[in-house]
């Protein structure tokens, strides 16, 4: 069955139609050749098994636009080619087409960057990377120029993208879409569908039923509309009415035409929460994460295979090049002369081209960053899955022992197992806290100067809390070079979070010796320097520049996902200071937190 993308992509396709936006002297909309080519393009785009016919149709349509000087129409056709590749699970082909679009625009000094951004946003939405997709769709809005014809397509994608993730933001973009779609009846149905889905996600049955009725009333009052969104809204209504089993059954067997794979998972999670089955909702959440991980892995492996194939082609070309060395020398000489003449001519236009070149470089950098971001996201998902799965397995095992009536346990053994379960629960909580911290919450929170803190009293008490968490071979020491009445004005919560992370790291990597918490004023008496040093294994020179990077771990077998130091440095900077590694310290590791007095 077709996914929702083919229907929402049709919004972009239909946005190509108004003739007066791009063709002043040639009424191509009434040209019989254009009608035939455009009809074939739409027919094969919507069909299941006509890929060869589709590529021929879009090639012929592109050539038609080129021959008649309809350049923006030509690039919109290339955009739809990217969308088709994306829908058919060929993301790398779509990325290459986007890059080719950019190269063509540069070659003919044509600014249609919104098309490239729309292609990139759609590609990353298909892989479950909604943050990158949102970024590129917003860039598309910001780079429309005179191309108002694409605005509705991008606004609808932004609204749909946020339905399950941020309903308030989805409503914001849908309202903007409504302003553009009021005069186009086929587009109004999309607005009503998204509006109803937002009400479903927030759990407002009364408002949902009103939106549900508005959708059906509009659908019945218009002619020529498809059934886009109708089945999904019916499933939502069944869930609100308490017919959960029927809703889940239809979601599995009927809704693939209106929801993509990730959207189906999101819908199931909401229905299970409405049923109160939080364990099933958690299972589906894990399946959703694995699905997105698989989509990104497919993209990565496709890229690697393509690079291997390109390497083979390069070797073949190298052999052929040796046979034509003399001819190439002559051609290169002529090329150098031509290039020299072109450079001389282009100097006259350099001032007007600077802005265009700058945009091109930004897009090239964005393409590279996007591909690198996909790799980082894949590693992050795998790391988090591994870190959470380990304590979960331990909790399950200990719980099975406790509930096995055939195993006799003493009170001491039972207490030990309960303590182990509690330890693993705390480990999962720590991992989740780290993820929340880096996800625009704790790490980006503004920490106000809430109160004055007596440094010696606060720091010594904080270190004392860890007295039972270190082995007998490790000594905890607090030293100071400030008076007992010495104070700083800062956020106690933020300061505690940073020092907790530093002390916990020191405990983790120190098996014997000591851990020292030290406080002293800076040389200019404008800051206070709070350091945590240990006699652990230390940090190698090669790793000293990497430890503050997100998800970096010097030892992949150590617990945690590599966000602690990243978040701590962000908090320190929010407090007006900084967190640094003392690379002159030997015999272990020392971190220095510098805060304004």
């Amino acid at each position: 069955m077709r996914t929702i993308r083919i229907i929402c992509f049709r919004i972009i396709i239909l946005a190509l139609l108004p003739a007066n936006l791009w063709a002043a002297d040639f009424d191509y909309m009434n040209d019989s050749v254009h009608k035939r080519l455009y009809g074939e393009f739409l027919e094969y785009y919507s069909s299941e098994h006509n890929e060869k016919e589709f590529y021929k149709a879009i090639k012929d349509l592109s050539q038609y636009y080129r021959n008649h000087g309809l350049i923006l129409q030509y690039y919109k056709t290339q955009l739809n080619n990217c969308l088709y590749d994306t829908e058919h699970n060929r993301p790398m082909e779509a990325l290459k087409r986007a890059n080719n679009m950019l190269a063509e625009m540069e070659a003919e000094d044509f600014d249609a960057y919104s098309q490239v951004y729309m292609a990139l946003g759609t590609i990353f939405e298909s892989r479950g990377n909604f943050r990158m997709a949102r970024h590129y769709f917003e860039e598309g809005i910001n780079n429309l120029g005179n191309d108002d014809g694409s605005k509705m397509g991008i606004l609808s994608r932004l609204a749909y993208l946020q339905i399950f993730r941020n309903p308030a933001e989805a409503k914001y973009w849908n309202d903007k879409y409504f302003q553009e779609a009021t005069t186009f009846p086929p587009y109004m149905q999309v607005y009503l569908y998204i509006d109803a889905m937002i009400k479903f996600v927030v759990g407002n049955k009364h408002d949902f039923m009103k939106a549900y009725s508005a959708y059906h009333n509009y659908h019945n009052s218009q002619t020529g509309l498809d059934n886009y969104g109708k089945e999904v809204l019916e499933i939502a209504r069944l869930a609100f009415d308490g017919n959960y089993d029927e809703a889940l059954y239809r979601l599995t067997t009927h809704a693939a035409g209106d929801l993509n794979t990730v959207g189906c998972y999101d819908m199931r999670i909401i229905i299970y929460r409405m049923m109160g089955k939080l364990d099933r909702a958690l299972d589906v959440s894990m399946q959703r994460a694995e699905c997105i991980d698989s989509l990104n892995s497919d993209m990565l492996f496709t890229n690697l295979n393509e690079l291997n194939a390109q390497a083979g082609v390069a070797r073949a070309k190298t052999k052929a090049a040796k046979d034509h060395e003399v001819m190439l020398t002559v051609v290169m000489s002529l090329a150098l002369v031509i290039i020299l003449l072109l450079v001389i001519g282009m100097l006259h236009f350099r001032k007007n081209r600077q802005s265009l070149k700058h945009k091109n470089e930004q897009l090239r950098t964005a393409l590279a960053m996007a591909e690198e971001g996909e790799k980082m996201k894949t590693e992050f998902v795998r790391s988090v899955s591994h870190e959470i799965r380990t304590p979960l397995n331990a909790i399950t095992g200990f719980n099975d022992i406790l509930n096995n009536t055939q195993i006799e346990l003493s009170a001491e053994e039972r207490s030990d197992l309960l303590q182990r379960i509690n330890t693993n629960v705390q480990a999962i909580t720590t991992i989740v806290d780290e993820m929340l911290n880096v996800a625009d919450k704790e790490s980006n929170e503004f920490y106000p100067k809430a109160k004055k803190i007596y440094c010696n009293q606060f720091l010594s008490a904080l270190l004392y809390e860890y007295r039972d968490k270190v082995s007998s071979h490790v000594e905890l020491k607090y030293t100071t070079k400030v008076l007992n009445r010495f104070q700083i004005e800062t956020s106690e919560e933020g300061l505690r979070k940073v020092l907790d992370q530093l002390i916990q790291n020191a405990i983790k990597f120190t098996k014997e010796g000591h851990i020292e918490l030290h406080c002293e004023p800076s040389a200019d008496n404008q800051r206070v320097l709070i350091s945590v040093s240990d006699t652990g294994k230390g940090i190698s020179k090669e790793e000293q520049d990497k430890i503050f990077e997100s998800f970096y771990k010097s030892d992949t077998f150590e617990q945690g996902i590599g966000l602690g130091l990243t978040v701590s440095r962000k908090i320190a900077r929010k407090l007006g200071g900084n967190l640094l590694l003392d690379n002159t310290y030997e015999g272990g590791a020392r971190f220095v937190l510098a805060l304004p007095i």
Side-chain angles (χ1 to χ4, degrees):
M1 298 179 71
R2 311 298 285 169
T3 67
I4 193 172
R5 287 187 176 82
I6 191 169
I7 299 171
C8 288
F9 292 173
R10 185 66 57 80
I11 296 172
I12 300 175
I13 295 171
L14 293 176
L16 306 179
L17 294 178
N20 60 341
L21 292 178
W22 301 287
D25 301 322
F26 175 54
D27 186 11
Y28 68 94
M29 292 298 298
N30 293 319
D31 180 51
S32 60
V33 176
H34 178 265
K35 288 182 178 179
R36 176 178 60 81
L37 294 175
Y38 193 79
E40 291 175 353
F41 159 68
L42 284 182
E43 176 186 356
Y44 293 131
Y45 192 103
S46 304
S47 60
E48 284 282 353
H49 306 293
N50 298 98
E51 293 187 11
K52 291 183 179 179
E53 291 83 354
F54 168 77
Y55 285 120
K56 182 180 184 305
I58 201 167
K59 180 180 179 181
D60 293 342
L61 184 61
S62 299
Q63 190 61 50
Y64 175 91
Y65 290 139
R66 273 291 184 193
N67 291 343
H68 290 84
L70 301 168
I71 306 303
L72 184 55
Q73 292 294 82
Y74 167 80
Y75 282 118
K76 287 178 179 288
T77 307
Q78 301 307 304
L79 166 63
N80 282 292
N81 207 343
C82 290
L83 304 183
Y84 186 87
D85 286 333
T86 301
E87 181 190 347
H88 288 76
N89 201 30
R90 289 192 286 271
M92 293 310 301
E93 287 295 325
L95 275 175
K96 287 202 309 185
R97 291 190 191 279
N99 212 2
N100 290 339
M101 288 171 61
L102 176 61
E104 287 189 73
M105 291 177 195
E106 179 181 8
E108 57 187 346
D109 293 346
F110 188 79
D111 187 347
Y113 296 112
S114 61
Q115 309 305 305
V116 181
Y117 284 124
M118 288 166 69
L120 289 172
T122 305
I123 291 166
F124 286 105
E125 180 191 356
S126 74
R127 316 318 290 173
N129 192 334
F130 301 109
R131 183 179 295 240
M132 293 294 292
R134 172 189 172 189
H135 166 75
Y136 285 120
F137 285 138
E138 289 181 348
E139 285 298 312
I141 290 291
N142 296 333
N143 286 270
L144 281 171
N146 295 323
D147 180 15
D148 293 332
S150 299
K151 181 180 289 187
M152 283 188 291
I154 305 179
L155 290 174
S156 70
R157 298 311 303 141
L158 278 166
Y160 176 77
L161 191 70
Q162 297 297 329
I163 288 176
F164 293 105
R165 275 147 289 283
N166 190 332
E169 185 171 335
K171 183 179 185 307
Y172 168 80
W173 291 115
N174 201 37
D175 289 344
K176 283 186 170 291
Y177 173 74
F178 173 79
Q179 298 171 11
E180 301 293 328
T182 51
T183 57
F184 297 93
Y187 299 161
M188 186 59 63
Q189 181 178 236
V190 176
Y191 164 79
L192 294 171
Y193 164 70
I194 294 176
D195 182 57
M197 284 302 295
I198 292 172
K199 304 298 194 307
F200 170 71
V201 172
V202 300
N204 190 325
K205 181 177 180 180
H206 178 266
D207 288 349
F208 167 80
M209 293 306 299
K210 290 175 59 178
Y212 176 83
S213 298
Y215 170 89
H216 281 279
N217 292 337
Y218 186 83
H219 188 277
N220 296 333
S221 68
Q222 301 294 321
T223 59
L225 298 181
D226 55 31
N227 289 324
Y228 165 55
K230 190 174 184 180
E231 182 63 32
V232 177
L233 293 182
E234 182 63 20
I235 292 171
R237 185 192 64 78
L238 287 169
F240 268 131
D241 288 343
N243 296 323
Y244 302 120
D245 292 339
E246 177 65 18
L248 291 170
Y249 172 75
R250 292 199 184 188
L251 185 62
T252 303
T253 57
H254 295 83
D258 287 343
L259 287 176
N260 58 26
T261 303
V262 178
C264 286
Y265 282 121
D266 290 328
M267 195 87 168
R268 289 170 60 195
I269 291 170
I270 292 175
I271 294 175
Y272 279 125
R273 286 176 178 170
M274 293 171 68
M275 298 171 67
K277 295 184 177 182
L278 300 184
D279 55 338
R280 293 292 296 127
L282 178 60
D283 289 341
V284 176
S285 296
M286 295 297 291
Q287 294 170 16
R288 179 185 183 277
E290 291 175 0
C291 172
I292 294 176
D293 183 31
S294 176
L295 290 173
N296 286 281
S297 297
D298 289 345
M299 188 174 182
L300 177 63
F301 293 143
T302 300
N303 193 19
L304 291 175
N305 292 334
E306 183 175 329
L307 290 176
N308 289 333
Q310 290 177 351
V313 173
R315 288 192 293 270
K317 288 183 177 180
T318 300
K319 182 177 182 302
K322 293 180 179 178
D323 297 334
H324 299 85
E325 184 175 352
V326 176
M327 182 177 66
L328 287 176
T329 302
V330 175
V331 173
M332 289 177 64
S333 299
L334 292 174
L336 287 174
V337 174
I338 294 173
I339 290 173
L340 180 61
L341 293 175
L342 288 174
V343 170
I344 294 174
M346 289 174 64
L347 288 176
H348 295 285
F349 305 97
R350 183 174 182 179
K351 182 177 179 179
N352 294 331
R353 289 174 55 86
Q354 288 303 315
S355 177
L356 181 61
K357 287 183 179 180
H358 179 63
K359 287 187 176 180
N360 290 337
E361 289 301 320
Q362 286 182 323
L363 280 173
R364 292 187 188 280
T365 302
L367 283 169
M369 291 176 62
E371 295 180 14
E372 181 63 25
E374 284 297 295
K375 297 177 184 179
M376 289 184 63
K377 180 181 177 183
T378 299
E379 290 302 318
F380 169 67
V381 171
R382 288 176 178 170
S383 175
V384 171
S385 298
H386 169 74
E387 293 297 334
I388 291 181
R389 190 179 296 114
T390 300
L392 275 177
N393 289 339
I395 292 171
T396 301
F398 295 144
N399 184 63
D400 289 343
I401 295 175
L402 286 171
N403 290 285
N404 192 330
T405 57
Q406 298 180 356
I407 300 177
E408 295 184 2
L409 298 173
S410 65
E412 181 179 353
E413 290 172 331
R414 184 174 296 275
S415 175
D416 179 63
L417 289 176
L418 290 173
Q419 179 60 37
R420 290 173 181 265
I421 290 175
N422 183 57
T423 300
N424 282 281
V425 170
Q426 291 178 354
I428 294 176
T429 302
T430 299
I431 293 171
V432 173
D433 284 344
E434 287 186 6
M435 288 189 292
L436 292 176
N437 284 342
V438 85
D440 296 331
K441 290 186 178 179
E442 296 291 342
S443 60
N444 290 325
E445 182 181 341
F446 175 71
Y447 289 95
K449 294 180 179 179
K451 58 187 297 186
K452 291 185 177 181
I453 298 174
Y454 288 95
C455 284
N456 287 340
Q457 179 181 349
F458 176 79
L459 296 176
S460 60
L462 176 63
L463 187 63
Y464 184 74
E465 294 176 5
Y466 288 90
R467 67 191 184 282
D468 297 328
K469 298 181 182 181
V470 296
S471 70
S472 58
H473 302 291
V474 178
E475 177 187 4
L476 294 179
K477 299 194 301 183
Y478 174 67
T479 58
T480 181
K481 290 186 177 180
V482 300
L483 299 176
N484 286 337
R485 64 174 180 271
F486 179 80
Q487 294 176 307
I488 59 173
E489 187 176 357
T490 189
S491 166
E492 180 178 335
E493 179 186 0
L495 177 60
R496 176 178 289 274
K497 286 184 179 180
V498 176
L499 293 179
D500 279 341
Q501 181 64 48
L502 297 180
I503 296 173
Q504 289 168 11
N505 278 359
I507 293 174
K508 182 188 300 184
F509 295 107
T510 305
K511 305 304 179 185
E512 60 181 2
H514 67 268
I515 297 172
E516 180 180 352
L517 178 61
H518 178 74
C519 179
E520 65 179 55
S522 63
D524 58 4
N525 285 319
Q526 298 300 311
R527 295 170 298 162
V528 62
L529 306 179
I530 303 172
S531 63
V532 177
S533 55
D534 60 60
T535 56
K537 65 179 184 179
I539 302 171
S540 65
K541 296 292 185 181
E542 295 77 13
E543 295 178 326
Q544 289 180 358
D545 295 332
K546 302 177 181 179
I547 58 174
F548 288 103
E549 295 178 1
S550 297
F551 315 127
Y552 179 77
K553 295 169 61 176
S554 60
D555 184 351
T556 57
F557 294 99
E558 286 287 347
Q559 184 177 332
I561 57 176
L563 294 175
L565 289 177
T566 305
V567 173
S568 296
R569 171 172 277 186
K570 288 182 179 181
I571 294 175
R573 290 175 175 174
K574 290 293 182 182
L575 298 179
N578 203 0
L579 178 62
L580 303 171
L581 172 68
D582 184 356
N583 53 21
T584 64
Y585 182 77
E586 297 180 355
R590 172 183 289 159
F591 290 87
V592 180
L593 172 62
L595 294 176
I597 296 177

